[in-house]
Amino acid sequence: MRPSRADAAPAAAVADGSAPIRIFTEARLYREPAGGFVTLDRSSADGAWRPYRDRWADAQLVARVGDVRPGDDDALSVGPIEVRPLPYYTGPRQLLAQLPRLVTAVIRTTSDISLCMFRLPGPIGFIGSLWCRLRGRRYAVEVVGDPVDVLRSGVAGSAGVRLAAACGVVMRWAVGGAATAHYVTEQTLQRHYPASRATSTHVFSNVDLHEDDFTAAPRSERPAIRRLIAVGTHDQLYKGHDDLIRAVGLLRADYPELRLRLVGDGRHSALLRSLAARTGVEDRVEFVGRVDSRTRLRELLDTSDLFCMPSRTEGLPRALIEAMARGVPSIGTTVGGIPELLPAELLVPPDDPVRLATLITRLADDPRLAAAASQIAWQTAQRFRPEEMARRRSAWYAALAELTSRGKVPVEANRGDS
């Protein structure tokens, strides 16, 4: 297990006590034997919380916390932010078993606080934001995904599909009562989950890129599409890596030189390996595993010809933006915020390996189209330069600071026409 950074005190669990802001997240954290907390998810590591900690030294993170997972040498520190642990669960069955304890714990941690900020969607954010709205408490939300799309993708089984519409109603009500809201998309999530007219809204990606993540220009040569890459978790199948394997299988006879790298891991990795074997492309699919090093990820992207994001649901995908910043020609599906990043000619519907394979062949057969895709990708990624994101984030932090300074103010004054 990688220890917490030497120059930062380890995070500590807090049994009680107040703070100006508590950040409720669906991240899964794990205890370190020596104290402190780690995560296996790069987007939930220290960098995600540092801006809040820098502004509020006593900010607190509220998340489910499990025991240390042995053998995870690549676990990442969440940094020196105080953590209030919630009951740990993974998957619908464990959530159902832990639900009474989870509801009690979330409600308890919404008290004795100036401001609660909930990252939506997710059970923790839903419980906390609904309780705050019912109690007339001000709260903030970060809208990072669409629960309807997530549940309809099948990640929670048939029961989740049946509950999708109801979760959409809950999400709209939760967002509608927020005092301030942050959306990661320019318009997609706003259409489905609008804030009230009185709500202060902020739009910026939660993707935190460095200047080193950008190439100086798009790719100058007309690329030959031979090496595909996809990045995403295998904890669920909503990243569509199974469809990508099937697409490569459809192309194995006509494009024998085609290779695919899958970056990511999770409980469905074995299933994906089995699918590659059954499809006859076991020798053409490389399972890279989880990559936490930005340098290593850049190397993988720079040696790939086409980035594929065949997702069944998305917010605004970090992995796609990272690839576009390197000038990698990119394709995706018509879900979530992906159409905000890619033009229609580089998109296919989800759950359609045949059309995905057809799009790959179009780029493989037309180097000019591949070069144009690189230009489109790189130009679009410029919107996510660090200085522009910093400006937008600063306005969001200022809005949160204003709310924390007001203390416990009834939310009714900010309901508007939600």
Side-chain angles (χ1 to χ4, degrees):
M1 184 76 67
R2 181 185 299 170
S4 301
R5 296 182 179 184
D7 60 347
V14 178
D16 52 35
S18 63
I21 185 171
R22 287 190 185 128
I23 305 160
F24 290 70
T25 172
E26 304 296 326
R28 283 178 283 182
L29 308 185
Y30 303 92
R31 298 179 188 272
E32 284 191 298
F37 298 88
V38 294
T39 179
L40 304 181
D41 181 4
R42 182 160 52 110
S43 66
S44 300
D46 176 45
W49 321 119
R50 189 181 305 123
Y52 297 98
R53 190 183 68 235
D54 289 346
R55 185 174 287 266
W56 298 279
D58 46 357
Q60 296 174 352
L61 188 64
V62 183
R64 46 186 161 164
V65 174
D67 294 331
V68 172
R69 289 175 56 169
D72 285 316
D73 295 331
D74 293 326
L76 304 168
S77 171
V78 301
I81 187 169
E82 295 182 335
V83 174
R84 293 180 69 97
L86 296 175
Y88 186 83
Y89 64 88
T90 178
R93 291 186 179 179
Q94 290 187 20
L95 169 61
L96 190 61
Q98 292 281 15
L99 194 57
R101 293 181 60 227
L102 183 67
V103 170
T104 300
V106 171
I107 288 175
R108 184 172 62 246
T109 50
T110 61
S111 62
D112 190 26
I113 190 72
S114 296
L115 182 69
C116 294
M117 189 191 78
F118 303 102
R119 187 163 289 183
L120 302 176
I124 295 168
F126 282 164
I127 295 166
S129 58
L130 294 182
W131 177 254
C132 283
R133 185 165 187 184
L134 289 170
R135 296 289 292 175
R137 294 282 310 281
R138 280 191 184 274
Y139 61 94
V141 296
E142 285 192 306
V143 187
V144 302
D146 188 337
V148 176
D149 283 350
V150 171
L151 292 172
R152 285 179 177 167
S153 73
V155 299
S158 58
V161 174
R162 291 193 294 270
L163 288 172
C167 285
V169 172
V170 171
M171 177 93 157
R172 281 187 286 275
W173 201 73
V175 174
T180 186
H182 158 220
Y183 293 89
V184 298
T185 60
E186 295 289 339
Q187 43 187 291
T188 303
L189 291 171
Q190 290 88 322
R191 285 198 303 267
H192 297 300
Y193 306 102
S196 77
R197 288 201 295 266
T199 298
S200 165
T201 60
H202 303 263
V203 177
F204 59 90
S205 168
N206 57 354
V207 176
D208 182 23
L209 298 186
H210 300 167
E211 284 298 332
D212 289 346
D213 293 321
F214 293 81
T215 56
R219 297 186 175 183
S220 57
E221 298 180 357
R222 294 179 180 178
I225 304 300
R226 299 294 181 266
R227 297 164 297 184
L228 314 182
I229 187 170
V231 178
T233 178
H234 295 166
D235 278 336
Q236 301 291 349
L237 292 177
Y238 60 76
K239 292 295 182 181
H241 289 184
D242 52 332
D243 282 342
L244 187 53
I245 291 172
R246 292 185 181 97
V248 172
L250 293 172
L251 301 174
R252 69 183 185 276
D254 294 332
Y255 296 85
E257 70 280 17
L258 206 63
R259 296 293 184 270
L260 169 63
R261 288 169 170 164
L262 292 180
V263 179
D265 66 2
R267 59 195 182 100
H268 290 297
S269 290
L271 183 151
L272 293 172
R273 290 177 183 272
S274 175
L275 176 62
R278 295 197 312 271
T279 310
V281 293
E282 185 176 22
D283 60 332
R284 304 182 190 185
V285 179
E286 177 187 359
F287 289 83
V288 178
R290 191 174 76 248
V291 173
D292 294 315
S293 164
R294 298 178 89 114
T295 300
R296 174 58 177 154
L297 181 60
R298 288 194 292 265
E299 291 172 352
L300 289 167
L301 292 171
D302 290 345
T303 55
S304 299
D305 304 317
L306 182 66
F307 184 88
C308 305
M309 178 150 277
S311 301
R312 296 178 170 95
T313 179
E314 281 293 344
L316 197 72
R318 174 193 182 97
L320 176 56
I321 297 171
E322 288 177 324
M324 296 170 77
R326 306 302 296 176
V328 186
S330 301
I331 61 175
T333 47
T334 54
V335 301
I338 297 177
E340 294 185 6
L341 300 172
L342 295 173
E345 61 268 23
L346 297 176
L347 298 172
V348 296
D351 294 305
D352 197 334
V354 174
R355 292 181 69 172
L356 180 60
T358 300
L359 181 56
I360 292 171
T361 61
R362 283 185 57 213
L363 288 156
D365 294 340
D366 189 349
R368 289 178 299 180
L369 179 60
S374 173
Q375 179 77 29
I376 290 169
W378 188 84
Q379 289 287 359
T380 301
Q382 303 314 299
R383 306 200 316 245
F384 302 92
R385 286 279 182 180
E387 61 269 19
E388 173 62 16
M389 291 298 101
R391 182 185 65 79
R392 296 191 183 194
R393 287 191 180 101
S394 180
W396 164 247
Y397 299 141
L400 294 176
E402 181 182 357
L403 289 172
T404 59
S405 67
R406 296 181 191 176
K408 301 175 182 178
V409 181
V411 75
E412 281 83 357
N414 195 42
R415 280 183 177 168
D417 295 324
S418 63

